[in-house]
Amino acid sequence: MDSIVVTGGAELSGEIPIAGAKNTCLKLMCAALLSEEPLTLTNVPRLSDVETLTTLLESLGTEVASVQGGNSLMLSAADITNMTAHYDIVRKLRASFNVLGPMMGRCGEAIVSLPGGCAIGARKVDLHLTSLEAMGAKIDLEEGYVHASAPTGLKGTEIEFPFVSVGATENTLCAAVLAKGTTVLKNVAREPDTVALAHCLIAMGADIEGAGTSEMVIRGVDALHGTTHRVISDRIELGTYMIAPAIAGGSVELIGGTRDLVAALADKLEEAGVEITETDKGLKVNRANGRVKSVDVTTAPFPGFPTDLQAQMMALMCTADGVANLEETIFENRFMHAPELIRMGADIDVHGGTAKVTGVEQLRGAPVMATDLRASVSLILAGLAAEGETVVSRVYHLDRGYERLEAKLQGVGAKVERVAA
Ligand code: UD1
C-alpha cells in the first residue's frame, strides 16, 4: 500500500487549482438515473469515488462515457436494466445509497444495500427510508438490503426532517421530482452540494422552489430531460488548501475558490490571524509570520463550520498559540485523527464530542495512519508544519477525495512524495 512522505518546514507559495466538488458530483451522477436522456457533467474531479460510483451506475444499466480526458462525464440512463445496488460497491462508497431516491422516482422500485458501518460514526439511513415511506413507498429490509417499492408511484406529501441530513434531503428531493403532486420538505440541508443538485434538477425540467433555504417545495413533473451541468468547486478541497499556508506559512492563491463556499472557515482563519483576500481568480490565503492564534470551532450544518474540515482545523490548532476547543456535533466518532496527531507531539484531550487542543511550538514528524478521508489529509497538513518526516500510510483514503494531492502541494513548494510500498 502506498504511503505519503511529508518533509516539514517548507514555506508555501504559488497557486493551487481547485477541482470540482466530490460530494456534488456524486449526487449529480445519481440524478442521471432520473432521465432517459443523457446528463453531461463538466468539471468532474478525477477521484476513485467517482470511478466507484461509475461502476455502480453501469451495473444498473447506465452508460457512462468519459469525455475531455475524464474532465466530463456523459451519463445515459435510457434504460435501467437492473434494480439492485450491490453491497460490494455500496460498502465502499456510502454516497451510492443515493441511487435509491432517483430509482424510486423513475421506476418506483429499488433494491439497495445498506451501507453498513463507517469509521466516523453509525451513519444511519433511517431518514432516507421514512421519507420514502411518507411518500407511499413500501420498505422492507432483507439480508442487509433495502427493498423499496411503490407500484403506483410516489405521492407528494409534507415531510419535516427532525435534524438536517444532507444525504436524506438529496435522496428525498430526487424521489419527489417525479412524484405525483407536491412535496414540501422542511428542515432540509442548505449545503452548496444540495443546492447545486436542485439547480441541476431544475435544468432537467424539475419544479423546485426554495433550494438554499430550509424549506423546499417540489411539484412533481412527468419526466426529466437531459442537460449539461458544471460541477461547482470543491469547498472541502478549497478549505483544506486554505489551511495549508495557515499551518506551513506562506501565501497561496486557490484558483476557482470563492468565499461563499467556505465563509465559516474563512471567518475562523481570519480570527486566528490569517489574511484572506478575494482575487479575480479565486482566494488568496497568507500567513506572513508567527503562529496563528487558537480559535474555538463547533461543527454544524451549512452555513456552519463543516464537519469535513474539523480534522484539518484541528491540525492547525495543534500549532496555534493558546487553547482551542473543537466541538463535533455532526458525527459521534470523528476524532480518530487526534491520537495520530498526538504521535506527532500534539497536546489534545478528547472528552465526548469536544477536543481541547493546546497548541505546541513545534510538531515532530512520525509514522501515522490515515483512518478516513479528512483525517488523512489533516495528517498531511500537520506534516507540513512538523520538524522532520511524517509518513502517512493507508493513503487510499486520500485518493477517494483529493485529486493529484502530491502534485498540487508540490506545486506550491511543499515537500510531499508518494512512496509505493
Ligand atoms: C454528507 C457528506 C459528508 C459530510 C456530511 C455532513 C456526501 C457524499 N457526504 O454525508 O462528507 O460529512 O454530509 O455534512 O455528501 N443521520 C441519521 N439518519 C439518517 C441520515 C443521517 O441519523 O437517515 C445522521 C448521521 O449519522 C450524521 C448526521 O445525521 O450523524 C448527518 O449526516 P448526513 O448529513 O446525512 O451526512 P451524509 O449525507 O451521510
Side-chain angles (χ1 to χ4, degrees):
M1 242 180 272
D2 292 357
S3 306
I4 288 190
V5 180
V6 186
T7 308
E11 259 205 12
L12 307 185
S13 151
E15 295 180 352
I16 298 182
I18 301 303
K22 170 179 86 75
N23 287 352
T24 312
C25 184
L26 297 175
K27 309 309 172 55
L28 293 171
M29 289 172 73
C30 293
L33 292 169
L34 281 162
S35 175
E36 283 176 15
E37 296 180 18
L39 171 64
T40 300
L41 301 176
T42 64
N43 199 32
V44 170
R46 285 177 224 189
L47 300 170
S48 63
D49 273 5
V50 170
E51 285 168 22
T52 307
L53 186 58
T54 297
T55 307
L56 176 66
L57 292 172
E58 284 173 343
S59 78
L60 302 175
T62 309
E63 280 176 32
V64 184
S66 178
V67 262
Q68 290 182 345
N71 261 130
S72 300
L73 285 182
M74 193 172 88
L75 303 109
S76 174
D79 294 307
I80 297 180
T81 51
N82 165 28
M83 293 299 157
T84 305
H86 280 285
Y87 177 58
D88 279 356
I89 301 182
V90 182
R91 74 182 165 83
K92 281 195 225 154
L93 176 63
R94 298 184 59 85
S96 36
F97 198 71
N98 275 59
V99 298
L100 177 62
M103 285 174 80
M104 286 303 288
R106 169 100 174 265
C107 317
E109 190 189 344
I111 303 170
V112 181
S113 167
L114 285 166
C118 175
I120 61 176
R123 300 189 80 173
K124 293 196 290 183
V125 289
D126 51 328
L127 302 185
H128 300 239
L129 303 182
T130 49
S131 59
L132 284 175
E133 277 176 333
M135 296 172 79
K138 183 171 171 292
I139 307 277
D140 291 306
L141 300 182
E142 283 172 32
E143 295 173 353
Y145 281 77
V146 173
H147 290 244
S149 65
T152 55
L154 296 170
K155 290 174 200 65
T157 186
E158 186 175 308
I159 297 167
E160 179 156 5
F161 293 105
F163 51 88
V164 173
S165 161
V166 174
T169 299
E170 294 170 343
N171 239 341
T172 313
L173 170 65
C174 285
V177 290
L178 293 180
K180 291 188 194 88
T182 300
T183 304
V184 179
L185 301 180
K186 295 188 170 173
N187 199 23
V188 294
R190 290 180 280 162
E191 265 61 9
D193 315 281
T194 313
V195 177
L197 172 64
H199 287 160
C200 178
L201 293 170
I202 292 167
M204 293 169 79
D207 182 348
I208 303 167
E209 258 177 59
T213 73
S214 51
E215 182 171 317
M216 277 194 266
V217 177
I218 304 128
R219 288 176 206 88
V221 296
D222 290 338
L224 296 188
H225 51 76
T227 191
T228 296
H229 185 92
R230 184 181 159 82
V231 180
I232 55 170
S233 294
D234 194 312
R235 66 200 168 94
I236 307 302
E237 188 196 29
L238 170 63
T240 301
Y241 291 133
M242 287 169 76
I243 293 174
I247 195 165
S251 175
V252 172
E253 189 167 5
L254 303 155
I255 309 304
T258 55
R259 189 168 175 127
D260 57 321
L261 288 173
V262 283
L265 171 71
D267 291 349
K268 285 291 170 187
L269 288 179
E270 282 174 342
E271 206 183 313
V274 177
E275 283 169 30
I276 299 171
T277 331
E278 289 176 87
T279 67
D280 292 346
K281 294 192 283 182
L283 281 184
K284 198 170 213 168
V285 179
N286 178 45
R287 196 202 95 202
N289 44 42
R291 292 160 72 188
V292 299
K293 291 192 284 289
S294 297
V295 288
D296 293 339
V297 168
T298 302
T299 62
F302 193 86
F305 192 96
T307 174
D308 287 352
L309 288 173
Q310 178 259 107
Q312 300 89 314
M313 194 64 177
M314 184 183 288
L316 177 64
M317 288 302 106
C318 287
T319 65
D321 186 7
V323 177
N325 287 300
L326 305 188
E327 195 188 347
E328 173 58 57
T329 70
I330 309 288
F331 293 108
E332 63 273 26
N333 187 25
R334 209 174 194 181
F335 288 134
M336 306 271 280
H337 38 287
E340 302 301 312
L341 291 167
I342 290 169
R343 301 194 69 251
M344 299 177 69
D347 181 351
I348 306 167
D349 222 345
V350 174
H351 280 290
T354 303
K356 180 179 157 204
V357 185
T358 306
V360 296
E361 282 203 29
Q362 185 66 62
L363 292 173
R364 292 180 307 275
V368 287
M369 201 172 69
T371 49
D372 74 54
L373 170 59
R374 308 305 172 186
S376 33
V377 86
S378 77
L379 303 174
I380 305 268
L381 290 174
L384 295 176
E387 192 179 84
E389 258 185 17
T390 300
V391 182
V392 183
S393 55
R394 297 198 181 171
V395 296
Y396 54 87
H397 289 294
L398 283 171
D399 297 332
R400 290 189 40 215
Y402 289 92
E403 181 187 279
R404 299 188 304 112
L405 175 107
E406 309 94 272
K408 288 188 183 186
L409 284 172
Q410 285 160 1
V412 291
K415 297 204 176 94
V416 179
E417 259 183 276
R418 183 178 291 246
V419 179

